[in-house]
Amino acid sequence: MATVKLRGIRKSYGPVEVIKGVDIDINDGEFVVFVGPSGCGKSTLLRMIAGLEDITRGTLEIDGKRVNDLEPSKRGIAMVFQTYAIFPHMSVRENVAFGLTINGVGKAEKEAKVAEAARILQMEHLLDRRPSALSGGQRQRVAIGRAIVRDPKVFLFDEPLSNLDAALRMDMRMEIGKLHQDLGASMIYVTHDQVEAMTLADRIVVLKDGQVMQAGAPMDLYHEPANLFVAGFLGAPSMNFMDVRVSEVTESNVTVSNGALDPVAVPRKGRDFTPGQQATLGVRPQYLSPAETGRGMLHGRVALTERLGSETVLDITLKDGSKLIAALGEDRILAPGTEVNLNFDPGQAHVFPEQR
Amino acid sequence: MTSKLTTSNRAGWGFALPGFALIATFIVLPFIFAFWLSLTNQRLISPNPTEFVGLDNYRSLLSIDVLSIEPERDAAGALVRDDDGALSYPAVRGFTRNNPDYPQYAGMREWFRWHWGDTAKVVIATDVIFWKALANTLTFVLVVAPVQGALALGLALLINQRLRGINFYRAVYFMPVVVSIVVVSLLWRFIYDGEDGLLNNLLSALTFGAFTGMDWLGNPDTALGSIMAMSIWQAVGFHMVIWLSGLQTISPTLYEASAIEGASKWQTFRYVTWPGLRNTAVLVVIVITMQAFALFAQIDVMTNGGPLDSTQTVVFQAVERGYGKQDISGGSTISVILFVLVLTISLIQRWLAREKT
Ligand SMILES: Nc1ncnc2c1ncn2[C@@H]1O[C@H](COP(=O)(O)OP(=O)(O)OP(=O)(O)O)[C@@H](O)[C@H]1O
Ligand SMILES: [Mg+2]
């Protein structure tokens, strides 16, 4: 169990800087998820922690000790790769025991550790098989088993579930969550799937272009996104954004409106606005609902209705031509073409000074 | 999208036909010819009609025996010794020439002998040169295959690194492969030259003149070894490239996984690289073996089988008989024997390297 501390971490490939100064503190036993779009540098960051890539600048500490120049095997980490990276010519047992074999651990201890890992991952019956006779999920289990046996201070996962199909991904996701509870080890998990991030993480680190956009507990990020990027990245279906014009700024609120939106006062959360400027208003689809009484705040027409069972998703074309999605809890059919007026709780809306 | 072309059986055969035709014309047919000729007494040019002789050619090539000869004794039964105390033995030709007691040895000659107590064991064969050629070829294969394979793997591991200018080294090691073996052989004749060869000069310079020179190709003890060294050097680049392609099929994440587990260089090779090269190894060993069995050009250019038949090889003999001595049937027989030999060895190698489940 250990803490991991990143200070001003940077990485350049030649003239190209791909990680642009990252500071993160990971507490003992914490499950941290790095999430972000493809190419934002998640893997690079993780591989620097693992020691598979050099750190161009900054310091990396594990358990209070600077490990920048330490070999991967000496850092007390274990890594699980997207492509499993299990040795095809070894049985599952040999694969799981690989690190122990390499380090000359005695037979009895080896057996015991492999058995323990197999028990945790419920794969005792697979131990004598070859990897070619395993499904993708089982292979990933073997890779996780190999990590467990090392008894690492920090587990690193690089998109471990990306090669699995949707159903299996959900099972394995739960298993990894359970593994974290059982072992209580610090874990760093890279994914571009925000559902994995939301469900697994104690803390999410949202990255973009090699920089941290926001870090915090999943629901904090969901409810209080620090910027437009984080607001749009987390949540499914993603947040609706509207180009609006600021008409009034008070101590705590900012009043915005546009062609389809009646003026509404939204908490400004300490962000600075000047009257007359353009801004972006964000409302999650779940917080939009058709106005039962009165004329509502947003005006448009239904373009499409999708019933998903648990919710109904309305595609709406607003009066000013922009599009919007509303997710209604109940099974409510509104025929395409119907005029709708929508309401939302201004407390659940976000306004950002930057434009899309 | 399945067009008629890709599903039609006739189109498939049509595409395969040119290949089949070429293989049939230049490989299958000549082999059938060779097999047929090996059963006759056909000569390249001869006034006499060709006769079918059955397995006579094989018999005369392959017959080999061990003759036990007791030392000579005097009238009293004591061993006869010469002035140096050495035993004296009756001549081999006493057994093999016009000796009605040993009709099975008729026409055979001594290849080599060893002593078993006082008894001399003499290996005799009808066609001693063929046996020498076979022994040389097998020696060549047994030395060249492992040494060249291992050396090529070593080079492949070296040049598989990401270094600046690595392509330069790749090209350098591969260069001898591109040059014709005949040209290479000619060049190496200068290197091995007994008078003023490059190798002699180099060795004498390195030993400050203590080494006084050696006729590498003219000495029966060094001729075959010299040809082996040169052959290994010439083709090592080719096998290096095959190994390299095998190395590059191994997933880099496997190396990363083993680095995280703390594997040493040797352990990484043993647990990741070598198992990943399994199929490549089978290929390389079989190809080297076949190439080594086919040893000809170097001999033809550098030694002509000499000195004292110390560099005779099977293929050189096949050509020498068929065209040098105009004995087409003899040459064909050697070719057929070589074919069976190489086929057998390849099958054994494949069987040994089969996927064990
Ligand atoms: N060896 C390299 N040389 C140059 N650029 C590289 C190298 N490896 C990665 N990059 C660049 O670094 C950036 C970050 O790559 P990285 O693999 O960390 O992305 P990622 O966030 O893991 O993306 P994904 O979700 O697709 O896996 C990318 O823009 C990539 O092009
Ligand atoms: Mg990645």
Side-chain angles (χ1 to χ4, degrees), chain A residues 13 18 38-44 159 192:
Chain A
Y13 289 110
V18 296
S38 189
C40 68
K42 311 179 289 291
S43 298
T44 308
E159 306 204 28
H192 58 245

Side-chain angles (χ1 to χ4, degrees), chain A residues 190-264:
Chain A
V190 161
T191 180
H192 58 245
D193 179 19
Q194 50 114 356
V195 181
E196 278 172 28
M198 294 294 288
T199 50
L200 286 172
D202 293 328
R203 200 144 54 93
I204 294 180
V205 177
V206 181
L207 293 164
K208 183 194 174 199
D209 294 337
Q211 281 173 313
V212 176
M213 290 284 109
Q214 193 178 1
M219 288 325 275
D220 290 351
L221 264 59
Y222 185 79
H223 289 299
E224 301 297 340
N227 50 47
L228 210 53
F229 179 79
V230 175
F233 193 80
L234 295 178
S238 58
M239 188 183 278
N240 294 301
F241 291 120
M242 286 162 269
D243 299 326
V244 291
R245 197 178 165 78
V246 175
S247 54
E248 193 190 342
V249 185
T250 68
E251 182 69 27
S252 58
N253 288 336
V254 53
T255 305
V256 296
S257 64
N258 70 15
L261 173 71
D262 299 342
V264 56

Side-chain angles (χ1 to χ4, degrees), chain B residues 80-89:
Chain B
V80 177
R81 292 185 186 272
D82 62 13
D83 297 345
D84 300 335
L87 295 168
S88 96
Y89 293 89

Side-chain angles (χ1 to χ4, degrees), chain A residues 47-76:
Chain A
R47 292 165 57 81
M48 286 197 286
I49 298 173
L52 298 172
E53 300 279 357
D54 292 335
I55 297 169
T56 310
R57 243 183 303 151
T59 40
L60 171 67
E61 286 180 13
I62 296 181
D63 243 358
K65 196 169 130 234
R66 185 177 185 276
V67 296
N68 280 41
D69 305 313
L70 219 54
E71 281 170 41
S73 58
K74 307 262 165 64
R75 294 189 182 190

